[in-house]
Amino acid sequence: MSKISPLSGFPELLPAQRAVEREVIASVSRTFELHGFANIETRVVEPIDRLAKGGEVDKEIYVLQRIAAEPDAKADLGLHFDLTVPFARYVLEHAGHLEFPFRRFQVQPAWRGERPQEGRYRQFTQADVDIVGRDELPFHHDVEVMSVMVDALGRLPIPRVSFQFNNRKLIQGFYRGLGIDDVTDAIRVIDKLDKLPADEVAAMLVERVGTTPEQAQRCLELATIRVADTSFVEQVRALGVTDELLEQGLAELAAVVEGCRAVAGDRVGVEANLRIARGLDYYTGTVVEIFMEGYERLKSVGGGGRYDALASDGRTTYPGVGVSFGVSRTLIPLIADGVLSGSRPVPSAVLVALNTEDDRAASTRVAAALRARDIACEVAPSPAKFGKQIRYAERRGIPFVWFVQPDAGADDLRGQVKDIRTGEQVGADPSTWTPPEADVRPSIISTARTTATSETEENQ
Amino acid sequence: MSKISPLSGFPELLPAQRAVEREVIASVSRTFELHGFANIETRVVEPIDRLAKGGEVDKEIYVLQRIAAEPDAKADLGLHFDLTVPFARYVLEHAGHLEFPFRRFQVQPAWRGERPQEGRYRQFTQADVDIVGRDELPFHHDVEVMSVMVDALGRLPIPRVSFQFNNRKLIQGFYRGLGIDDVTDAIRVIDKLDKLPADEVAAMLVERVGTTPEQAQRCLELATIRVADTSFVEQVRALGVTDELLEQGLAELAAVVEGCRAVAGDRVGVEANLRIARGLDYYTGTVVEIFMEGYERLKSVGGGGRYDALASDGRTTYPGVGVSFGVSRTLIPLIADGVLSGSRPVPSAVLVALNTEDDRAASTRVAAALRARDIACEVAPSPAKFGKQIRYAERRGIPFVWFVQPDAGADDLRGQVKDIRTGEQVGADPSTWTPPEADVRPSIISTARTTATSETEENQ
């Protein structure tokens, strides 16, 4: 048997770290539910030809085969590499049983065989929220779904995130208004602005896309516009390009920025950043990339946008708008850096001590009484000296130890409870005693939260 | 692209059905936490040689390979087919960071390439709870972990389940006391009792295992003992076999049955069934199979037991005891049969109606006020006639529609709220109005619950 060693790209969390991930998933899920989004899960496999993008199969797909398959059998299933492809298939497959617009969220792992690095894993969890219409989907859902993710991430104890919005209609309309023929190609070149200096990009626009130097200059000017309000509208207009699609894009982007600013608290930035293009293939309107302060090296920790044909069965088209949050990409680096940690590795708030092994039933009764009141607890594994039992609790971060009355009958469960952090010990009855709210469940300890608070205070 | 059609063995749930699964997972998880078990997740892949059982690789394993791998590259990873193998590896890999005894639960999918049938799927979710010690694990944890699963399943609105316990020491000690040499082989033959008549099994014991007809008869008598209390101890003793290991097994089984009976309410049966053997390989003491009333055709819906060497790294051995509940195996047939259904396919308790599209901000403010008080809601997608908006809510099972005051300012969010089931409409303020507790979240509608209650009443 192979030696036990971690598999690169398949990170695993220790119990206290997993408690962090669990709380984060519970928090974003609850926010999505408050906004009326239903949870679904899809199977993790899809036919390989469905995982193909634009006819080309992504090289990072993991294919699946039964070990007992014939040696020359063609593998026809692969693990999904995101949650959008399976969701589109789910909508087509189950359309007859869904109500449209269909609002769903999905939190599941996905797999990519790419080279692992910080923030990029071979197995990673994403949280996606989307609204899908049948035949049509009014624009206001763009504002809605983006606001929901702003709301969700704003509630997390992570460093400040920034939603950077753009709109494909705006870019396309602007380029068209400028008289550039190959809009798609121009966007592809402009997309290199984060790697190449502006003058090189301008030269490429002239050489490859065939723009005039004047047009190239305008494209660069558009791409440098980045503001935290709707003043981009005037800045774009000042560039002197007129086009109907451009106007529509400006209005949509302004509405998204305004709508998201209305729900963004201190923890979330909202900007129009006219350099964001986000792939070329299926986005048709709103696009967004989410970045995290101090973690720009991770590139985006989320993103999404509007796609006028999320799915189609030939007769019906399903337009959608959605946004994805990279749970693993965000949390694993934050946990590794000590920004986020769990307050304890166990759910127990109380260790019920044991007087003697024969007395286990008495301790079990006290534990049952606490559980009946929704207090998580466990009974000590052995009747060691109380000092040793207390250290057992200490090592697990269990804040309270309950001492059972040695001679009490089954009806009288009163005992003593000790806060092992302060040493304070009081008489208590398991049918009435309650731990402080902060000790009831494991919680997330975040240094980002502290930092954010002091920043906020400085800003005031 | 392939036509959309379901993949056999990979069932998917519609939103209201998924709500059932989610509530069930939340319920068992909460029970495990109340008993001090920490949640972990493991990566879904393991090295293939680790997935091998006793040196032999299970033919049902799905192997994984990057689609870009060389044609003759050897696949070395497979999807896990249960949660025990990855858990054992997790314990070994992370032992230095865990506190023992380590109490964990795990709810994740697993994959097997077997032929799909009712209750058996190629992707299925399990909920496992285990306690693992380092070098030693006192027996009382057997009682504890089984009681936890009894408690967890007793809280679910599923048909009555029955925990059928046995103990490997009891069987082995009895056979040894009878003078049978090949205990393992004898158990393998006795295991056929659910397929073959008793006299054929007796004949096989004589022919294959080399027992005397007398010994064979005693084995059959042991295997037919099945009681719902500890009276099996006297019944076994009456068979006149004495053995030290047998005595230990009797005492352990009696303790497990008594401990589980103490927490089992009306919804759970607890029995000693001396025919349960549960595989031969790694169980060394307590064994259990869980059956569900009316669904005996599914075979067991859960099972587990004691293994003295869950994992070992050569120097240290980690004994464990645990039990697994087949979430998919149980729920998918119950949902298909209509025994369980979700009360609605969306989390929203309220649809906030829309007066005009220009008035969307007013409806959004009301929705935000409700969400601030933890009430899930959504705003109507379009300012259709109110009758149409009410039908929108009806189709989604949303119980309340909120009508916004047309001319109200941003400070006055009072409006009217209608229970669309009764037609009752009242004036309400989103900062104080609360839906009835039963309407706050989607819930599970269970016909099993009703049946069970009437059965209980009949029994009284």
Side-chain angles (χ1 to χ4, degrees):
Chain A
M1 184 164 302
S2 55
K3 200 177 152 293
I4 300 280
S5 54
L7 274 184
S8 175
F10 292 92
E12 274 181 336
L13 300 177
L14 292 169
Q17 300 170 335
R18 167 63 181 157
V20 171
E21 186 182 56
R22 235 168 145 240
E23 288 294 318
V24 164
I25 289 172
S27 173
V28 297
S29 297
R30 185 62 195 142
T31 305
F32 298 153
E33 289 185 317
L34 282 175
H35 288 265
F37 289 77
N39 181 250
I40 66 162
E41 289 199 343
T42 54
R43 64 184 194 226
V44 306
V45 302
E46 297 294 333
I48 286 173
D49 59 355
R50 186 156 293 279
L51 293 170
K53 292 186 208 168
E56 201 175 325
V57 172
D58 192 309
K59 289 198 191 68
E60 294 164 358
I61 292 172
Y62 279 112
V63 296
L64 218 70
Q65 200 146 30
R66 288 185 60 211
I67 207 165
E70 298 297 316
D72 54 352
K74 195 176 164 293
D76 51 6
L77 296 178
L79 295 179
H80 60 223
F81 54 78
D82 70 7
L83 304 181
T84 303
V85 172
F87 175 53
R89 192 263 316 147
Y90 180 95
V91 166
L92 287 177
E93 185 172 330
H94 304 288
H97 302 283
L98 302 175
E99 290 294 335
F100 294 93
F102 176 46
R103 310 153 68 85
R104 85 86 174 79
F105 74 97
Q106 195 170 345
V107 185
Q108 281 186 260
W111 294 267
R112 292 184 193 184
E114 64 185 342
R115 202 161 60 85
Q117 51 180 297
E118 188 193 24
R120 293 197 180 254
Y121 312 103
R122 293 185 156 191
Q123 175 177 329
F124 54 95
T125 297
Q126 286 189 219
D128 279 27
V129 59
D130 289 81
I131 304 176
V132 169
R134 184 158 49 198
D135 296 320
E136 53 156 20
L137 184 70
F139 163 74
H140 63 77
H141 290 298
D142 288 39
V143 182
E144 182 182 19
V145 81
M146 295 303 161
S147 307
V148 170
M149 189 60 95
V150 167
D151 190 8
L153 299 193
R155 295 175 192 228
L156 297 182
I158 60 176
R160 194 165 189 272
V161 292
S162 162
F163 282 64
Q164 308 203 354
F165 290 106
N166 198 357
N167 189 293
R168 299 293 302 270
K169 291 177 187 167
L170 187 161
I171 313 176
Q172 286 174 7
F174 186 88
Y175 287 16
R176 193 172 74 177
L178 266 179
I180 295 176
D181 292 330
D182 194 340
V183 168
T184 309
D185 214 28
I187 294 174
R188 198 173 283 134
V189 171
I190 281 288
D191 226 20
K192 296 186 193 296
L193 268 177
D194 51 359
K195 288 174 199 146
L196 297 177
D199 52 352
E200 279 186 43
V201 172
M204 281 174 77
L205 281 172
V206 174
E207 288 158 31
R208 290 208 203 161
V209 188
T211 69
T212 66
E214 234 286 287
Q215 288 170 328
Q217 197 49 40
R218 285 282 170 287
C219 291
L220 287 181
E221 283 168 8
L222 184 77
T224 52
I225 294 174
R226 181 175 166 180
V227 294
D229 53 30
T230 56
S231 63
F232 68 89
V233 177
E234 285 315 305
Q235 293 186 40
V236 173
R237 291 209 176 115
L239 297 177
V241 177
T242 53
D243 180 274
E244 202 184 322
L245 195 62
L246 168 62
E247 281 306 311
Q248 205 186 328
L250 286 170
E252 288 190 2
L253 182 55
V256 167
V257 168
E258 269 191 338
C260 288
R261 275 168 55 93
V263 294
D266 300 331
R267 318 277 315 123
V268 180
V270 173
E271 290 180 79
N273 182 347
L274 272 47
R275 219 179 70 189
I276 300 290
R278 192 159 176 77
L280 297 163
D281 291 347
Y282 46 82
Y283 292 109
T284 51
T286 301
V287 287
V288 65
E289 299 254 10
I290 310 169
F291 299 90
M292 185 163 63
E293 260 179 30
Y295 284 83
E296 290 74 11
R297 64 183 187 271
L298 298 177
K299 306 275 166 63
S300 68
V301 297
R306 169 79 177 210
Y307 23 123
D308 282 340
L310 169 72
S312 172
D313 60 9
R315 281 165 307 161
T316 311
T317 296
Y318 298 88
V321 59
V323 54
S324 174
F325 170 56
V327 175
S328 303
R329 175 175 292 188
T330 305
L331 295 188
I332 291 175
L334 290 175
I335 289 169
D337 288 356
V339 175
L340 299 184
S341 56
S343 62
R344 58 181 192 249
V346 297
S348 302
V350 180
L351 176 75
V352 182
L354 196 58
N355 293 317
T356 66
E357 190 56 47
D358 289 345
D359 220 19
R360 181 170 292 278
S363 296
T364 301
R365 274 195 297 273
V366 169
L370 290 170
R371 283 178 198 128
R373 297 180 46 250
D374 215 31
I375 298 167
C377 59
E378 56 190 274
V379 175
S382 72
K385 285 183 182 158
F386 284 148
K388 212 176 157 192
Q389 295 193 42
I390 289 170
R391 280 193 298 281
Y392 175 98
E394 249 167 12
R395 281 197 306 274
R396 285 160 179 79
I398 301 174
F400 294 96
V401 174
W402 190 287
F403 298 103
V404 177
Q405 200 79 5
D407 317 311
D411 293 341
D412 182 7
L413 299 177
R414 284 176 301 174
Q416 297 271 320
V417 65
K418 184 191 204 78
D419 182 332
I420 64 172
R421 297 160 300 189
T422 62
E424 192 192 2
Q425 183 169 327
V426 294
D429 186 324
S431 63
T432 54
W433 177 83
T434 301
E437 180 61 26
D439 290 328
V440 170
R441 295 175 62 88
S443 57
I444 301 177
I445 298 170
S446 168
T447 61
R449 208 174 236 164
T450 323
T451 315
T453 310
S454 53
E455 271 175 10
T456 310
E457 281 164 3
E458 279 164 23
N459 291 345
Q460 283 172 346
Chain B
M1 184 164 302
S2 55
K3 200 178 150 293
I4 300 283
S5 54
L7 273 184
S8 174
F10 291 92
E12 275 181 335
L13 301 176
L14 292 169
Q17 300 170 334
R18 167 62 182 158
V20 172
E21 185 182 57
R22 237 169 143 237
E23 288 295 318
V24 164
I25 289 173
S27 174
V28 298
S29 297
R30 185 61 194 142
T31 305
F32 299 154
E33 289 187 315
L34 282 175
H35 288 265
F37 289 77
N39 179 250
I40 66 162
E41 288 199 342
T42 54
R43 63 184 193 224
V44 305
V45 301
E46 296 294 334
I48 286 173
D49 58 356
R50 186 157 292 281
L51 293 170
K53 293 185 210 169
E56 200 175 326
V57 173
D58 191 310
K59 288 198 191 69
E60 294 164 358
I61 292 172
Y62 279 112
V63 296
L64 217 71
Q65 200 147 30
R66 288 185 60 211
I67 206 165
E70 299 296 316
D72 54 351
K74 196 175 164 293
D76 50 6
L77 296 178
L79 294 179
H80 60 224
F81 52 79
D82 70 7
L83 303 181
T84 302
V85 172
F87 175 53
R89 192 264 316 149
Y90 181 96
V91 166
L92 288 177
E93 184 172 330
H94 304 289
H97 301 283
L98 303 175
E99 291 293 336
F100 294 92
F102 176 46
R103 309 153 69 83
R104 85 86 173 80
F105 74 97
Q106 196 169 344
V107 186
Q108 283 186 258
W111 294 267
R112 292 184 193 184
E114 64 185 340
R115 203 162 59 83
Q117 51 180 297
E118 188 194 25
R120 295 196 179 255
Y121 312 103
R122 294 185 155 190
Q123 175 178 328
F124 55 95
T125 297
Q126 286 189 220
D128 279 28
V129 59
D130 289 83
I131 304 177
V132 169
R134 185 158 48 197
D135 296 321
E136 53 156 21
L137 183 72
F139 163 74
H140 64 76
H141 290 298
D142 288 38
V143 182
E144 182 181 19
V145 81
M146 296 304 162
S147 307
V148 171
M149 189 60 95
V150 167
D151 190 7
L153 299 193
R155 295 175 191 228
L156 297 183
I158 60 177
R160 194 165 188 272
V161 293
S162 162
F163 282 64
Q164 307 203 356
F165 290 105
N166 198 356
N167 189 295
R168 299 293 304 268
K169 291 177 188 168
L170 187 162
I171 312 176
Q172 285 174 7
F174 185 88
Y175 287 14
R176 193 173 72 179
L178 263 181
I180 296 177
D181 293 328
D182 194 340
V183 167
T184 307
D185 214 28
I187 294 175
R188 199 173 283 136
V189 171
I190 282 287
D191 227 20
K192 296 186 193 295
L193 268 177
D194 51 359
K195 287 175 199 145
L196 297 178
D199 52 352
E200 281 187 40
V201 172
M204 282 174 77
L205 281 171
V206 175
E207 286 160 32
R208 289 208 204 160
V209 188
T211 70
T212 66
E214 234 284 289
Q215 287 170 330
Q217 198 47 43
R218 285 281 170 288
C219 290
L220 287 181
E221 283 167 8
L222 184 77
T224 52
I225 295 175
R226 181 175 165 178
V227 293
D229 53 30
T230 57
S231 62
F232 68 89
V233 177
E234 284 317 307
Q235 294 187 40
V236 173
R237 290 209 177 112
L239 297 178
V241 176
T242 53
D243 180 274
E244 201 184 323
L245 195 62
L246 169 62
E247 280 306 313
Q248 205 185 327
L250 285 170
E252 288 190 1
L253 182 55
V256 167
V257 168
E258 270 192 337
C260 288
R261 276 167 55 92
V263 295
D266 300 330
R267 318 277 314 124
V268 181
V270 173
E271 291 180 78
N273 181 347
L274 271 47
R275 218 179 71 188
I276 299 290
R278 194 162 173 74
L280 297 163
D281 291 347
Y282 46 81
Y283 292 109
T284 51
T286 301
V287 286
V288 64
E289 299 255 11
I290 310 169
F291 298 90
M292 184 162 65
E293 260 179 29
Y295 284 83
E296 290 76 11
R297 64 182 186 272
L298 298 177
K299 307 273 166 64
S300 68
V301 297
R306 170 80 176 208
Y307 19 42
D308 282 340
L310 169 71
S312 172
D313 59 10
R315 282 165 307 163
T316 311
T317 295
Y318 298 88
V321 59
V323 54
S324 175
F325 170 57
V327 175
S328 303
R329 175 175 292 188
T330 305
L331 295 188
I332 290 174
L334 290 175
I335 289 169
D337 289 354
V339 176
L340 300 184
S341 56
S343 61
R344 58 181 191 249
V346 296
S348 302
V350 180
L351 175 75
V352 182
L354 196 57
N355 293 317
T356 65
E357 190 56 47
D358 288 344
D359 220 19
R360 181 170 291 278
S363 296
T364 301
R365 273 194 298 272
V366 169
L370 290 169
R371 284 178 198 128
R373 296 180 46 249
D374 216 31
I375 299 167
C377 59
E378 57 190 272
V379 175
S382 71
K385 285 182 181 158
F386 284 148
K388 213 176 156 192
Q389 295 192 42
I390 290 170
R391 280 195 295 282
Y392 175 97
E394 251 168 11
R395 281 198 305 274
R396 286 162 178 78
I398 301 174
F400 295 95
V401 175
W402 190 286
F403 298 103
V404 177
Q405 199 78 6
D407 316 310
D411 293 340
D412 182 7
L413 300 176
R414 284 176 300 175
Q416 298 272 320
V417 64
K418 184 190 204 79
D419 182 330
I420 63 173
R421 298 159 300 189
T422 62
E424 192 192 3
Q425 183 169 326
V426 295
D429 185 324
S431 63
T432 54
W433 178 83
T434 302
E437 180 61 27
D439 290 330
V440 170
R441 296 174 62 88
S443 57
I444 301 178
I445 299 170
S446 169
T447 61
R449 208 173 238 163
T450 325
T451 315
T453 310
S454 53
E455 271 175 10
T456 310
E457 280 164 3
E458 278 164 25
N459 291 346
Q460 282 171 347

